[in-house]
């Protein structure tokens, strides 16, 4: 029974770890095309589509043992001054099924 908290802790999501990972992968000021390639190489699906908007949402499935998978979410925000450049990165809260 003492091992149960360790198992449950191993299944929790570390939001700061995701934020650190993303900021090591993409940075504001880099070309949006390069940022999309880097995110996709890390397993994210980015919905760039043909409609070029201000925000490009990226998601990735986070596998958890013994529990349902979660969805990691990151928004790449285009620069206000250079449309083909990343202006900001918003790491959103990881969504896990209840």
């Amino acid at each position: 029974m003492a091992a149960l908290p360790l198992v449950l802790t191993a299944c929790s999501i570390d939001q700061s770890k995701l934020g650190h990972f993303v900021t090591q992968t993409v940075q504001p000021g880099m070309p949006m095309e390069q940022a999309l390639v880097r995110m996709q190489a890390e397993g994210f699906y980015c919905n760039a589509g043909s409609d070029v908007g201000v925000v490009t949402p990226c998601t990735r499935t986070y596998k958890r043992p013994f529990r349902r998978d979660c969805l990691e979410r990151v928004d790449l925000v285009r620069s206000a001054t250079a449309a083909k450049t990343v202006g900001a990165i918003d790491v959103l809260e990881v969504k896990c099924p209840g």
Side-chain angles (χ1 to χ4, degrees), residues 7-98:
V7 170
L8 294 177
T9 303
C11 296
S12 66
I13 303 300
D14 186 348
Q15 188 74 34
S16 64
K17 186 176 178 182
L18 172 63
H20 180 73
F21 167 77
V22 170
T23 57
Q24 294 300 311
T25 304
V26 293
Q27 295 85 32
M30 77 185 324
M32 182 61 80
E33 186 175 320
Q34 180 184 3
L36 292 172
V37 168
R38 297 280 310 272
M39 292 294 283
Q40 291 168 355
E42 296 297 338
F44 281 87
Y45 167 75
C46 297
N47 188 9
S50 59
D51 179 26
V52 178
V54 174
V55 176
T56 301
C58 298
T59 58
R60 176 173 74 174
T61 301
Y62 177 83
K63 304 271 185 202
R64 299 187 304 169
F66 311 113
R67 299 176 88 179
R68 292 173 61 194
D69 296 341
C70 295
L71 192 64
E72 296 174 324
R73 305 173 305 140
V74 176
D75 284 347
L76 301 178
V77 182
R78 292 184 187 278
S79 170
T81 57
K84 294 184 178 185
T85 304
V86 176
I89 299 139
D90 291 332
V91 180
L92 306 172
E93 184 178 347
V94 176
K95 290 265 189 188
C96 296

